[in-house]
Amino acid sequence: MLLVLGAAISGVAAASDRDENRTVSFSVVHGTTTTVLSNPDSDGHQLGDLRVVSRPTFSERGKEVGRLDAVLITTGIDVPNLDDEVRISNLIFVFGDGVDQIVVNGSGFYPGTGGTIDLDSSLIRPVTGGSGVFAGATGWAETVHFPDDTWEHTFHLQIPDTEDRRD
């Protein structure tokens, strides 16, 4: 699995003349997501509501490449409109045996009555780090929730070219 991911990354990586970073863009997809509200006494529209999800992720060709583990915390009610919410998110995309990970954090607007962003919408969040082949990654990720309730997460990464300094 790691070999397939590495081949996909090397196929889209391009060295930049301006710096010593590789620019990498690729996507993972998954099916319908059910978030679980972990606050037993909540109606799902309260400050501090915690939603969790874990889903397998797939390449655009349908091969399983890892999983998405995520938490969403409600931090604003009736923002920007009545019945909307602000939620901060921590999404961890795990690849292969778990060494290769991409961390995505951010904030976004959500429907107060739904567990996820609306169908036929998207959300952009910063990439705040990574490990393994993604060590030191920065950039951004766009999450698209399609009308058929499937999802695509496209990563636009800058990964520093570093030497292996282990002895």
Side-chain angles (χ1 to χ4, degrees):
M1 190 175 313
L2 182 58
L3 181 60
V4 171
L5 180 62
I9 291 170
S10 65
V12 296
S16 171
D17 293 335
R18 296 182 329 196
D19 54 37
E20 296 182 13
N21 288 332
R22 289 179 294 136
T23 301
V24 178
S25 295
F26 68 97
S27 298
V28 296
V29 298
H30 60 81
T32 301
T33 295
T34 302
T35 59
V36 176
L37 182 65
S38 66
N39 306 59
D41 297 327
S42 177
D43 64 358
H45 191 57
Q46 296 181 26
L47 283 176
D49 278 345
L50 175 66
R51 290 173 169 81
V52 296
V53 65
S54 185
R55 294 283 305 157
T57 57
F58 301 86
S59 70
E60 292 177 291
R61 294 183 177 168
K63 181 172 178 73
E64 187 170 345
V65 294
R67 71 178 189 277
L68 162 64
D69 296 317
V71 295
L72 302 166
I73 301 171
T74 303
T75 59
I77 299 291
D78 296 330
V79 177
N81 301 304
L82 187 65
D83 295 327
D84 286 340
E85 295 181 355
V86 175
R87 296 182 192 157
I88 59 172
S89 56
N90 183 20
L91 290 78
I92 311 296
F93 292 87
V94 179
F95 299 93
D97 62 2
V99 172
D100 302 315
Q101 298 185 18
I102 298 172
V103 179
V104 176
N105 296 118
S107 179
F109 300 123
Y110 291 76
T113 57
T116 65
I117 60 174
D118 282 328
L119 289 172
D120 201 19
S121 67
S122 67
L123 185 59
I124 293 176
R125 302 179 190 102
V127 170
T128 57
S131 63
V133 299
F134 304 110
T138 61
W140 57 282
E142 180 177 16
T143 297
V144 178
H145 191 184
F146 293 109
D148 67 355
D149 206 18
T150 60
W151 297 77
E152 179 180 57
H153 305 274
T154 302
F155 305 100
H156 303 275
L157 306 176
Q158 291 288 316
I159 302 175
D161 282 333
T162 57
E163 294 180 26
D164 186 352
R165 296 189 176 119
R166 294 176 287 177
D167 290 326

